[in-house]
Amino acid sequence: QVHLVESGGGSVQTGGSLKLSCSASGWTYNNYCLAWFRQTPGMEREGVAGFRVDGVTNYAESVKGRFTISKNDSDNILYLEMSSLKAEDTAVYYCALEFPIYGGSCLDYRYNYWGQGTQVTVSS
């Protein structure tokens, strides 16, 4: 059974940094994408960053140069390091998993497995 648990959210001032973690377990496919999405009330969920099993990463234009996605293979933990945070980064951030995949950007897939989300609030 797939299990995704996010942590690391919180409140931070504009320009600050946060690091989100997602503990991922419960699948055996070695061909997958892991990704971070975010959602604000009344808006559609937005893909933020994707990590393909071969290490290829993809980012939304709005976060390029500020966010970094990475994965610790020994612990199977997905990270999202966020810096130079802006008020518009405020959202609930979700970790997501999809498999099998067939190449391309991990932000182009429709994901079937989701964590419960963690709130990130950026204020001045």
Side-chain angles (χ1 to χ4, degrees), residues 4-9 20-23 36 93-96 114-118:
L4 303 171
V5 180
E6 302 96 336
S7 61
L20 305 183
S21 300
C22 172
S23 176
W36 288 97
Y93 283 72
Y94 297 90
C95 175
W114 297 87
Q116 82 288 352
T118 185

Side-chain angles (χ1 to χ4, degrees), residues 70-120:
S70 62
K71 183 175 177 287
N72 181 325
D73 286 333
S74 60
D75 296 332
N76 228 26
I77 296 176
L78 183 73
Y79 297 102
L80 185 68
E81 294 183 78
M82 306 183 292
S83 62
S84 302
L85 282 162
K86 307 174 181 179
E88 51 263 45
D89 295 319
T90 295
V92 177
Y93 283 72
Y94 297 90
C95 175
L97 166 72
E98 181 58 16
F99 59 84
I101 62 166
Y102 305 97
S105 168
C106 282
L107 294 182
D108 292 338
Y109 284 88
R110 183 173 179 174
Y111 284 73
N112 285 300
Y113 302 96
W114 297 87
Q116 82 288 352
T118 185
Q119 176 70 46
V120 171

Side-chain angles (χ1 to χ4, degrees), residues 1-58:
Q1 183 177 357
V2 173
H3 202 49
L4 303 171
V5 180
E6 302 96 336
S7 61
S11 296
V12 64
Q13 289 191 323
T14 302
S17 301
L18 274 178
K19 185 175 182 178
L20 305 183
S21 300
C22 172
S23 176
S25 63
W27 79 97
T28 56
Y29 274 91
N30 60 1
N31 184 21
Y32 61 86
C33 275
L34 283 162
W36 288 97
F37 287 74
R38 65 187 181 187
Q39 190 171 26
T40 55
M43 301 294 288
E44 289 193 4
R45 201 167 288 189
E46 172 194 22
V48 174
F51 183 97
R52 206 168 68 191
V53 62
D54 58 358
V56 173
T57 57
N58 306 102

